[in-house]
Every structure is written in structure tokens, then in C-alpha cells.
Amino acid sequence: MTIRCDVAIAGLGAMGSAAAWQLTLRGQRVIGFDRFRPPHAMGSSTGKSRIIREAYFENPGYVPLVRRAYELWADLEQDSGRELLRPTGGLVIGPEDGSLVPGALASARLHGVRHELLDAGAIRARYPAFRPDATLAGLLELRAGVLMPEDCIGAMLGQAGQAGAELRFEEPVLGWEPDGDGVRVTTGVRTVLASRLILSAGAWMEASLTRRTLPLTVARQVMFWVRPGGDPGLFDPGRFPIWLWETNEGPTWYGFPDLGDGPKVARHHGGQVTTADHVERGIDPEESGPVRAFLAKAIPLLDGPVTDARVCMYTNTPDEDFVLDRHPDHPAVLIASPCSGHGFKFAPTVGEILADLAMDRTPRFDLTPFSSSRFTPA
């Protein structure tokens, strides 16, 4: 069976579903493929909650992209009738000479993000569950909050499907070849002749799919939900923010208020290197030891029983920035966003960028920092 389309998409996680949504808004004929049935728990876009924040400690250059994402998430909420983003405020905690607080402060000052600087005493007074020692400081931003990833992907795919996208689940792309000015895409079921192909397969972005060696590593990351002690109301979304905490020992942790399943806590980066097809999805009870040790000192009211744990994957670049680029050898193919564990919040902006590139339009953002050529030896 051979069919034709404007754009084929390999992978319908956060970035692929966003691209499908944005392209169908523009009247493009889209066929999207996924090896599972999204939204699912097998990749990176899982875990019931994802952080959205604006005082971006990683790099101030991301702030305009996340601001556009706020606008597009609001559009999606209105169009889909779903609540996708819950504001909670966001607190970053860490040493004054670390990377987290100074980085967030640099972004906030450069882009005029509303924020407050808090010393350790002010943090404890504002949020009694936190117990930072006197060596730590914090930055609070009011617009940060929580995205519900499964609902977000469901909403984007729902809008794309209503607009005419053909969504093929449990049917992975097996390969592709240049075909004139376009691409011939093959699955185990059909052949698609597409003017453009978007590769957005996350942890499955192997050289066999990209036809290009990119220095990507896949890391297994474990998320934990815990039962709070003391007053559980201290962890309600109206009283407890999303947070990131850089420790003096090095690791950075992050967490969420109680959204109904208990507060969620996880380590940012540092997971076991693996592959998408061989990741260990079982979780040994002893794996909660490091998070329990951190919580016992930092948020002692959360040093309670672990009620749930799940595995997701970070697909990391060496510099932890995205890849958003045309394939250097095949300009009809777009390589989309191995996001190094901090990309979900940007999904609708990335979808808009991919739609521009697929339609040979100039995106509103400079994509030079996300070029795949930065990994090519000079």
C-alpha cells in the first residue's frame, strides 16, 4: 500500500504530536506513526506531571521559546477544552555560587521575569516543608507550574486528528529513502511518499533511523511518589510550588506538589545509560535510597513511604541543548529535539518551528544553537 502526504512524522510523543497539531492547523496533510499507542508510558513524555518555568537556569536563550509555549499551551487548552497547565509558582534552591540560582537569576534579569530572591530563612517561612540550610538561597517565580504530559499529548493528537491527520499507532517507521524532492517512508504495513519527513522518535533516534551519527545517549530516570507526613495540606498546589534543588554535594533534584497521587520527586540527570529497547523498567526498592536520603534532610515531611515509582528516559546531547535541524544530507528530512530531559514544556513551540521548516518558512527563532552541525568536527 502506497499513500501520499505533505508531512510524515516518525514518533508521536511530545514533539511529534505538537508538529502534527501545528501542521494540520495550516491545512497540511499529515501522517504520523508511533511504535506504541500515545500517550503512553514507554518513552520520555510520561509521569503525570512536567515542569514549566520561565527563569531558565540552563540558558537565557530558552526564555523566548518558553514564553511562546505558554501562549500555545493556552490556545490548546481553549481549543481542546482541557486543563493542561496548572500554575503553582516555582522555586529553585541552591548555593549562591552554584549553577541553579545564578542561572535562573541571569535569565530573570535579562528577560524581565517576575521573581523574588529568598534566603534560607525566607524559604522556610514561606514554605514550611522546605528545610534549606543557611548556605542555600532561592529564586521564586510566580508563573511557573505543572503541565500534565499525557493530557497534553492527548489534546494535541486529538486536535490533529479532528483536523484530518492520519495517526497510525503501533506501527513504527522502519526506514526511509530520498525520493526526488521528497522522502519514501516505509513501515511494516505501508509505504508513504511524503514531501517532508520529521524524525521525532526520542530515545529511538538511532543512527539507523536518522542515517546520521549523532552523539546521543539515553539515560534511565526513575520518578518517585511519596506519602507526606505531618500536615498533607502543606503540599497542596496552592501552598507548595514546583521546585528544583541543587545540593552542595552536586546532584539536582526536582519535585511537584500533591496533584492527587502524593508529591512527586526525582533526580535531574545522572541516570544509568541504556537504550530505548533495553531499558530496565522494573524498579528495585533500594533505588529509592538516594531520594529518601535527600528528602530526610531537605524536605523531612516527605521522608515517608514511596507509593509509586516509574521509569522514563532522557535522550541527552553532550551540551544538553536540543537538536532542531534539517538533515545535512537530505533537506526534506527534519531531525527533531532530543531534549536532554528539559524539553517537554517547549513542545508546542517546537511543533510550530517544525511546521515552519516543513513548509519552507523561516521560524521566528534562531535555530543556530540547535544545529546538528555543532557536533561535526571542524
Side-chain angles (χ1 to χ4, degrees):
M1 178 190 302
T2 300
I3 53 180
R4 295 181 179 272
C5 68
D6 296 314
V7 183
I9 302 174
L12 293 172
M15 307 310 165
S17 62
W21 169 46
Q22 289 293 315
L23 283 160
T24 54
L25 283 178
R26 304 181 187 192
Q28 295 288 287
R29 184 180 178 194
V30 174
I31 302 177
F33 298 95
D34 197 278
R35 68 184 56 240
F36 302 110
R37 184 169 289 274
H40 57 75
M42 304 301 289
S44 301
S45 304
T46 183
K48 305 179 186 178
S49 54
R50 283 290 182 270
I51 288 173
I52 185 166
R53 51 192 168 85
E54 196 174 6
Y56 220 67
F57 77 88
E58 291 89 341
N59 187 323
Y62 281 97
V63 176
L65 281 78
V66 79
R67 285 181 164 168
R68 178 58 179 155
Y70 271 101
E71 296 172 351
L72 292 169
W73 286 124
D75 290 345
L76 183 61
E77 284 189 315
Q78 182 174 352
D79 293 344
S80 67
R82 300 194 194 191
E83 181 190 27
L84 305 174
L85 193 163
R86 181 177 295 187
T88 62
L91 180 65
V92 297
I93 300 171
E96 292 185 358
D97 60 351
S99 60
L100 214 63
V101 173
L105 181 59
S107 284
R109 287 175 171 170
L110 180 63
H111 292 284
V113 178
R114 293 177 56 203
H115 67 280
E116 297 179 48
L117 289 174
L118 305 175
D119 61 20
I123 293 171
R124 292 192 296 267
R126 182 80 61 92
Y127 301 109
F130 290 119
R131 286 290 182 268
D133 65 41
T135 67
L136 301 179
L139 182 145
L140 176 68
E141 59 170 300
L142 301 181
R143 201 157 75 122
V146 181
L147 291 162
M148 289 58 171
E150 291 87 355
D151 289 343
C152 290
I153 290 173
M156 291 188 287
L157 291 177
Q159 292 299 297
Q162 289 178 28
E166 188 174 338
L167 305 175
R168 295 291 177 177
F169 302 146
E170 299 175 343
E171 186 178 338
V173 168
L174 301 180
W176 57 270
E177 296 287 341
D179 189 273
D181 293 334
V183 187
R184 180 182 296 269
V185 181
T186 56
T187 74
V189 178
R190 71 196 81 239
T191 299
V192 175
L193 298 178
S195 298
R196 299 289 183 269
L197 169 64
I198 295 173
L199 301 177
S200 53
W204 285 268
M205 292 283 278
E206 301 163 333
S208 59
L209 180 63
T210 61
R211 298 167 64 99
R212 176 172 173 77
T213 300
L214 295 172
L216 306 179
T217 57
V218 176
R220 174 182 179 269
Q221 304 290 151
V222 185
M223 305 166 283
F224 298 93
W225 285 258
V226 296
R227 182 180 302 141
D231 178 5
L234 290 176
F235 299 97
D236 288 346
R239 300 175 64 187
F240 193 73
I242 61 94
W243 55 271
L244 296 94
W245 190 310
E246 180 184 14
T247 63
N248 285 310
E249 296 78 22
T252 294
W253 301 85
Y254 68 93
F256 298 80
D258 186 351
L259 301 172
D261 300 298
K264 172 181 154 186
V265 184
R267 180 173 174 175
H268 184 46
H269 286 295
Q272 176 188 21
V273 174
T274 184
T275 65
D277 291 324
H278 296 94
V279 60
E280 175 56 61
R281 297 194 179 275
I283 301 170
D284 190 302
E286 293 186 0
E287 291 188 71
S288 66
V291 70
R292 295 287 297 274
F294 164 75
L295 292 174
K297 294 192 301 182
I299 317 175
L301 289 178
L302 286 185
D303 187 23
V306 172
T307 59
D308 195 8
R310 299 190 184 186
V311 169
C312 76
M313 292 180 285
Y314 284 9
T315 306
N316 300 309
T317 62
D319 57 14
E320 298 181 8
D321 287 322
F322 304 165
V323 178
L324 291 172
D325 200 3
R326 293 189 186 278
H327 195 293
D329 302 318
H330 307 287
V333 178
L334 308 178
I335 299 173
S337 199
C339 284
S340 300
H342 65 105
F344 188 91
K345 63 185 74 65
F346 298 97
T349 307
V350 171
E352 189 175 64
I353 289 169
L354 293 171
D356 285 334
L357 293 174
M359 298 177 70
D360 297 325
R361 299 176 181 175
T362 302
R364 67 172 71 190
F365 301 104
D366 177 16
L367 301 184
T368 303
F370 308 128
S371 170
S372 63
S373 66
R374 71 187 193 270
F375 303 124
T376 303

